[in-house]
Amino acid sequence: MAGHIRLVKEKSGIARLILSRPENRNALTGEMIRELIGHLESLQWEPPEKLRFLVVEGEGDYFCSGSDTGELRRAGELPGDDSIREAFLFARLFREFSALPFPSAAAVRGGAMGAGAGLIASMDYVLAEENSSFGTPEARSGLVPAVASLYLGRKIGLAGLSAMTLRGGSLSAGEALRMGLIHRVSPGGSFREETAALERDLLSCGPDSLRKIKLLLLKMFPLPENGIEEFAAMQNAEAPASKEGREGMDSADQGRQPEWMPEKGKGDGGK
């Protein structure tokens, strides 16, 4: 599974992390998360004159579709401690991204769903194509986007988080922009130019200044405390093993409605 994350360092001071599993819309596996964490831990020690900022991209036409569904199902079959450790990987990943001492930006094509939405919420700036979609569809499969919610809530607040997580649907790029999840929508055909313009803007800023601003932002808007992070990771771990979680994943695999859906014509107050 190794090799699905590429790191490219440019002489200009830009570092690029590229999710490279396009055949699966860059769905995240445990191995990919470990690779990302390893790169982030290494990059954070780079001096300002060598590393100005980080850009994260998805290979192909989709940024990140979330967690790998096969691994989610297997996680529900793991012993309790192993399942919790896997859930904590996401908590660690989002924290590592958020705590970087330099700016990070996501260039989103196609969309960012589930854990992918949590990924962009842990970055400082998000540029997206106008046809991109965003969301946390976990509830529709009996799952809980718990760890991602910690970072989504930090970015978009309670009202935005409620709208995303409780309905389980998807948002257009325009809706995500109005909510504050992303910062700019790139009109059709101009995505590369918009990305290049963003990079020029960041390169025009003083490297030390950018790092001081990033530190200020972290002080003003602290990362989630350990207690709530542990609670969220427990929810992530328990959901795939639950009866509802298994039914949700089975129904999605089988192309049918989950058993909790009311029969057509029912659930309307008895009318």
Side-chain angles (χ1 to χ4, degrees):
M1 195 69 70
H4 289 310
I5 303 296
R6 299 204 314 272
L7 172 62
V8 179
K9 295 181 183 179
E10 299 180 2
K11 291 182 179 179
S12 62
I14 302 174
R16 300 184 192 279
L17 276 173
I18 302 164
L19 311 181
S20 182
R21 198 181 176 220
E23 68 278 7
N24 296 92
R25 297 202 304 176
N26 295 315
L28 294 172
T29 64
E31 188 58 39
M32 289 171 71
I33 296 171
R34 291 180 177 88
E35 285 186 72
L36 284 168
I37 290 171
H39 286 311
L40 295 175
E41 288 180 337
S42 174
L43 290 173
Q44 68 176 317
W45 299 107
E46 293 277 1
E49 62 271 17
K50 288 189 176 181
L51 203 166
R52 307 282 289 275
F53 57 89
L54 172 68
V55 177
V56 183
E57 307 169 359
E59 185 178 336
D61 58 7
Y62 206 93
F63 179 75
C64 179
S65 59
S67 301
D68 180 83
T69 53
E71 289 208 354
L72 270 179
R73 184 178 292 280
R74 289 190 290 274
E77 300 169 355
L78 291 172
D81 289 347
D82 291 342
S83 179
I84 292 169
R85 275 194 290 271
E86 290 299 306
F88 264 109
L89 275 178
F90 280 108
R92 186 176 171 191
L93 176 64
F94 299 153
R95 179 172 287 272
E96 290 281 353
F97 264 114
S98 298
L100 286 171
F102 45 79
S104 60
V108 178
R109 299 183 64 195
M113 303 296 288
L119 198 60
I120 65 168
S122 64
M123 297 186 210
D124 300 305
Y125 192 94
V126 183
L127 168 69
E129 281 187 322
E130 63 180 348
N131 64 348
S132 299
S133 57
F134 305 84
T136 49
E138 283 86 342
R140 296 194 179 192
S141 297
L143 303 174
V144 183
V147 175
S149 292
L150 301 183
Y151 292 86
L152 286 163
R154 182 172 177 262
K155 180 66 68 71
I156 62 177
L158 176 59
L161 183 63
S162 298
M164 280 190 73
T165 56
L166 294 178
R167 293 190 66 180
S170 63
L171 304 171
S172 68
E175 290 170 322
L177 179 67
R178 290 189 290 274
M179 191 177 285
L181 178 59
I182 66 177
H183 300 89
R184 185 169 178 81
V185 176
S186 172
S190 65
F191 184 70
R192 291 185 181 275
E193 291 78 7
E194 293 267 1
T195 303
L198 168 61
E199 293 172 4
R200 286 195 299 271
D201 286 346
L202 288 170
L203 288 171
S204 72
C205 298
D208 286 331
S209 177
L210 287 177
R211 293 193 178 214
K212 289 175 180 177
I213 293 171
K214 182 64 185 285
L215 178 60
L216 175 63
L217 293 174
L218 287 168
K219 293 289 186 182
M220 291 174 65
F221 302 95
L223 300 182
E225 296 180 354
N226 290 339
I228 185 64
E229 193 173 77
E230 182 177 347
F231 174 74
M234 289 287 290
Q235 284 199 314
N236 265 40
E238 291 169 358
S242 69
K243 179 181 177 182
E244 188 170 282
R246 291 195 300 271
E247 165 61 15
M249 289 186 286
D250 286 345
S251 63
D253 289 346
Q254 296 163 15
R256 59 174 176 81
Q257 297 285 3
E259 62 183 14
W260 60 76
M261 285 288 290
E263 294 180 28
K264 191 172 183 180
K266 295 186 179 181
D268 55 3
K271 297 179 181 179

